[in-house]
Amino acid sequence: MPDSAERLRAVIDTAVDGVILIDSEGIVQTFNKACEGLFGYVADEVVGRNVRMLMPEPYHGEHDGYLRRYLATGERKIIGIGREVSARRKDGTVFPIELSVGETEAPEARPGGEHGFVGIIRDISARKQAERELSDSLARLRAVIGTAVDGVILIDSNGIVQSFNAACEGLFGYQADEVVGHNVRMLMPEPYHGEHDGYLQHYLDTGERKIIGIGREVSARRKDGTVFPIELSVGEAQQGADRIFVGIIRDVTARKEAETALIRHTRELERLNRALRLQSVDLERSNDELRLFASAASHDLKEPLRKIQTFGDFLVTEHADRLDDEGRHYVGVMVDGAARMARMIDGILAYSRAGLAEIDVSRVDLAELWHAVCSDLEIQVAEADATVSVQPMPAIEADAVRLHQVFQNLLSNALKYRSPSRPLTVSVDAATRPAAGGREEVVMSVVDNGNGFDPAYADAIFEPFKRLQGRKGVDGIGLGLALCHRIVRLHSGAIEAEGRPGIGATFRVTLPVRQEARNGDA
């Protein structure tokens, strides 16, 4: 049958897959063009040699024994079955193939009339690479899903759970094997539990979306039956001919509690603001009444004092000859007491007014303001033979009139309590430093070498009418430093003092560079 043999050779030579014919000894009888491309050999290098030359270990060493066993027993491992094995090229590289082997009666494979075999070979390197890449991709995907902070659930088009990650186990209290294979509605409270399957079918039929591709806040149910709020995002994907849905779940219990607390606190803050506004109105009315009272009280209290002073002076000047020394002394004590009481009333009035009015903010050069104070007290400074040194200082936002009063009180304080054993020196300087909230503040130091004071009284000296032991006999009513303290606090600042008896005192005034907006002013 020469024509039949020619046709067979034509089919073998033009086949896309490799075709090898071997005899019962494993000797290659035919090696087609596709095999030459697969293995890198030309047919003449293979035909007449044992087919195991194309095999890596362990197939290389086992092949002849396997073939003899098959011929003796008929036991099959590949023949008539086929499987994936490895092959070896001429250059020694090993590659995966899909090998199908069958017995043949073709004369080319049976030169002696014995058994012959035909092998069909397909290089599956590309397929195996694709499978490896797919496997790696799936492994990475499983790792991402498994380690995701949010819960991830995969369900099929029937709502059956296919995947349930570790985060979901923590959220719901179920192990994955308790959920996978069950309908996802087991994780839902009513009404979602009863509506889910119908909603899913309605979406598959109409494409109408309620959550899929959108996401929203819903409720979920744990294994113990407790219901909690979640943020659910659902996406859709195609898996072959099937549609799958991926749910991303985030427990928003803490956020919802925070939102509820924020609403509650906002309402409470609004209530407090309303109450504060009412109190502010009441306070302003009280302040107005207090200002009127203070002015009236000052006038009414000082009127009899002026009469005491006037008539006391009249007695001394017009009737001195009718008074003996003791009488003149008593009249002098009376007049001095009335004058002291008048100064005390003025001091109390100034102290009370200091905390009632808003400050009038403007740009104030601290050094210039100190020079103005020194000019005002020029006579007192000269009489005390004192030296006042004012260093360059920054400008700040403040009430110039109020700060002038503070600086004047501090300088007057230094002049009053100077040491009799040495000339008084007063040094004033300031430095800017960072403050809380990204703001800046100025720290001003007023240092003198006067009498000083016991450090134990560093706070007490700012209390109204507080005069320290050892300062008796010095003119004053004990309100100067208290007034300084009140004015500095009105500027959102602070004042502190350090003293060393017989050495001197240091007063530090801390003031913000910029004043915060007050009473709704920008």
Side-chain angles (χ1 to χ4, degrees):
M1 302 175 64
D3 290 342
S4 177
E6 288 296 327
R7 283 196 297 273
L8 177 60
R9 277 193 293 273
V11 169
I12 291 173
D13 286 341
T14 58
V16 175
D17 293 332
V19 179
I20 297 179
L21 275 70
I22 64 171
D23 62 17
S24 58
E25 298 296 324
I27 304 303
V28 177
Q29 305 298 317
T30 299
F31 192 77
N32 75 341
K33 292 291 185 182
C35 279
E36 290 181 340
L38 287 174
F39 289 92
Y41 290 102
V42 296
D44 290 344
E45 294 178 285
V46 180
V47 172
R49 301 180 63 182
N50 194 296
V51 72
R52 67 174 177 264
M53 69 180 289
L54 306 175
M55 303 175 186
E57 294 295 350
Y59 311 112
H60 181 89
E62 296 174 351
H63 178 264
D64 289 354
Y66 162 69
L67 187 58
R68 286 193 297 270
R69 187 165 57 252
Y70 168 73
L71 293 172
T73 65
E75 179 186 350
R76 299 184 177 192
K77 289 190 176 180
I78 296 181
I79 296 170
I81 302 171
R83 67 174 182 178
E84 293 179 4
V85 293
S86 296
R88 184 175 61 195
R89 297 186 180 93
K90 182 178 181 179
D91 62 8
T93 57
V94 175
F95 64 104
I97 62 171
E98 190 175 74
L99 174 63
S100 300
V101 180
E103 286 191 75
T104 179
E105 296 181 358
E108 290 87 344
R110 302 169 65 193
E114 66 274 10
H115 293 274
F117 304 93
V118 59
I120 308 299
I121 300 167
R122 178 171 294 171
D123 184 352
I124 57 173
S125 297
R127 190 181 81 192
K128 298 300 284 186
Q129 178 64 25
E131 288 176 355
R132 282 193 298 272
E133 291 175 356
L134 178 60
S135 177
D136 291 345
S137 177
L138 289 174
R140 286 193 295 271
L141 179 60
R142 280 193 292 270
V144 169
I145 292 174
T147 58
V149 175
D150 293 331
V152 182
I153 296 179
L154 274 67
I155 66 169
D156 62 18
S157 56
N158 294 314
I160 304 303
V161 178
Q162 307 297 313
S163 177
F164 190 79
N165 76 339
C168 280
E169 292 181 337
L171 287 175
F172 290 92
Y174 288 101
Q175 294 298 308
D177 56 12
E178 295 180 278
V179 180
V180 173
H182 295 273
N183 194 296
V184 72
R185 65 173 178 263
M186 69 182 288
L187 306 175
M188 303 175 185
E190 293 295 349
Y192 312 111
H193 181 88
E195 297 173 352
H196 179 264
D197 288 355
Y199 162 69
L200 184 58
Q201 189 58 51
H202 179 74
Y203 169 73
L204 293 171
D205 293 340
T206 67
E208 181 185 350
R209 299 182 174 193
K210 291 188 177 179
I211 295 181
I212 296 171
I214 302 171
R216 65 175 184 178
E217 289 184 4
V218 295
S219 296
R221 184 176 62 195
R222 298 187 180 92
K223 183 178 181 179
D224 62 9
T226 56
V227 175
F228 64 106
I230 62 170
E231 188 175 77
L232 175 62
S233 302
V234 181
E236 182 181 4
Q238 200 75 23
Q239 190 177 50
D242 298 326
R243 297 162 84 173
I244 62 169
F245 301 92
V246 182
I248 309 297
I249 298 167
R250 178 170 294 174
D251 184 352
V252 294
T253 300
R255 191 181 77 192
K256 299 299 286 185
E257 290 175 349
E259 289 174 355
T260 301
L262 179 61
I263 292 171
R264 184 173 65 252
H265 292 154
T266 300
R267 290 174 179 169
E268 178 64 14
L269 185 60
E270 289 172 350
R271 185 190 67 78
L272 292 174
N273 280 337
R274 287 193 296 271
L276 187 59
R277 283 194 293 270
L278 292 175
Q279 290 178 357
S280 178
V281 171
D282 291 341
L283 182 61
E284 185 61 30
R285 185 170 58 250
S286 298
N287 284 343
D288 290 340
E289 294 171 353
L290 185 57
R291 277 190 287 267
L292 291 173
F293 171 78
S295 296
S298 173
H299 178 271
D300 292 345
L301 288 173
K302 290 173 73 173
E303 181 60 27
L305 292 177
R306 279 194 291 270
K307 290 181 179 179
I308 293 173
Q309 289 177 290
T310 299
F311 286 111
D313 291 338
F314 180 75
L315 286 173
V316 171
T317 58
E318 300 297 328
H319 300 282
D321 56 336
R322 301 174 62 181
L323 297 173
D324 58 16
D325 291 341
E326 186 176 12
R328 285 191 292 273
H329 170 72
Y330 288 147
V331 172
V333 170
M334 178 184 68
V335 172
D336 289 344
R340 177 176 170 77
M341 177 60 76
R343 289 196 300 273
M344 184 174 291
I345 291 172
D346 289 337
I348 293 172
L349 186 60
Y351 181 76
S352 65
R353 285 173 175 169
L356 294 178
E358 288 294 325
I359 60 175
D360 184 13
V361 176
S362 63
R363 184 180 181 278
V364 178
D365 186 305
L366 296 178
E368 288 182 3
L369 192 59
W370 264 103
H371 288 308
V373 168
C374 291
S375 178
D376 291 345
L377 298 179
E378 183 178 3
I379 295 175
Q380 293 91 324
V381 171
E383 289 177 347
D385 193 24
T387 301
V388 181
S389 172
V390 179
Q391 300 299 318
M393 288 184 282
I396 65 170
E397 291 181 354
D399 186 323
V401 175
R402 301 285 184 87
L403 280 194
H404 186 284
Q405 193 169 12
V406 171
F407 297 171
Q408 183 169 298
N409 285 357
L410 291 176
L411 182 54
S412 295
N413 196 71
L415 292 169
K416 288 178 185 177
Y417 300 108
R418 63 186 182 274
S419 171
S421 61
R422 57 181 175 270
L424 174 67
T425 61
V426 180
S427 176
V428 184
D429 66 5
T432 304
R433 69 182 184 187
R439 296 185 291 271
E440 288 186 318
E441 62 187 15
V442 168
V443 181
M444 183 181 64
S445 299
V446 181
V447 183
D448 68 55
N449 65 340
N451 289 331
F453 60 89
D454 190 330
Y457 297 102
D459 294 328
I461 62 175
F462 295 108
E463 297 175 10
F465 307 112
K466 191 73 173 183
R467 305 192 70 201
L468 304 187
Q469 189 70 27
R471 294 194 167 195
K472 304 297 185 182
V474 178
D475 187 34
I477 59 173
L479 281 174
L481 292 179
L483 186 59
C484 291
H485 183 267
R486 173 165 281 199
I487 292 173
V488 170
R489 289 291 299 274
L490 199 61
H491 282 78
S492 301
I495 183 170
E496 60 183 4
E498 293 180 6
R500 289 185 293 172
I503 296 177
T506 299
F507 288 86
R508 290 190 182 86
V509 180
T510 303
L511 295 166
V513 172
R514 294 180 60 85
Q515 289 293 320
E516 296 295 321
R518 296 167 182 265
N519 295 336
D521 296 335

